[in-house]
Amino acid sequence: MGPIWPSYYGDCSSVIFMVDAANTTQVSSSCIQLLSVLSAEALETTSVLILFNKVDIPCPMSLVEMKSLFRLDDIISCATQPVTVLEVSARSGQGLLDVLKWLHSIQKE
């Protein structure tokens, strides 16, 4: 679906980018998609939330490992928009409150 995402950028007030923390084979593809989103001119000031999902399963990659594989510190330091990173479990609801707090905080802006 990544190739059609730019057609939706004009109406975006925020972006939530979810990464499957259990799928190590897709990390590089997810990173490329994230770079594409962050470099889109239409999103240069849009708040971005990166969610690492499935942290509830046995042996997911840790946040430190995911940040390292994504070179997330480098990506965030070069991004023009504010970027927040959270860990979640869509199945158990872990981290959902933090996501809702983020959504509430960007609505005030």
Side-chain angles (χ1 to χ4, degrees):
M1 300 240 1
I4 67 167
W5 290 353
S7 63
Y8 296 98
Y9 291 166
D11 296 327
C12 285
S13 59
S14 60
V15 172
I16 298 176
F17 188 91
M18 186 172 287
V19 178
D20 183 348
N23 191 344
T24 57
T25 60
Q26 288 296 316
V27 169
S28 61
S29 175
S30 295
C31 187
I32 291 167
Q33 287 294 329
L34 175 61
L35 290 170
S36 174
V37 167
L38 293 175
S39 65
E41 189 175 328
L43 300 175
E44 65 186 12
T45 60
T46 303
S47 295
V48 176
L49 176 61
I50 301 171
L51 298 177
F52 290 108
N53 187 33
K54 297 185 183 177
V55 297
D56 59 323
I57 65 167
C59 301
M61 282 190 277
S62 71
L63 184 58
V64 171
E65 291 171 314
M66 290 297 289
K67 281 183 166 184
S68 176
L69 284 171
F70 266 75
R71 296 189 54 135
L72 208 48
D73 291 335
D74 294 334
I75 289 171
I76 290 171
S77 69
C78 294
T80 60
Q81 56 275 86
V83 177
T84 303
V85 179
L86 296 173
E87 293 178 293
V88 297
S89 167
R91 186 178 72 178
S92 73
Q94 176 186 341
L96 179 60
L97 186 57
D98 293 326
V99 173
L100 293 174
K101 286 178 185 177
W102 179 84
L103 286 167
H104 182 70
S105 73
I106 64 162
Q107 292 301 315
K108 291 181 178 181
E109 295 175 359

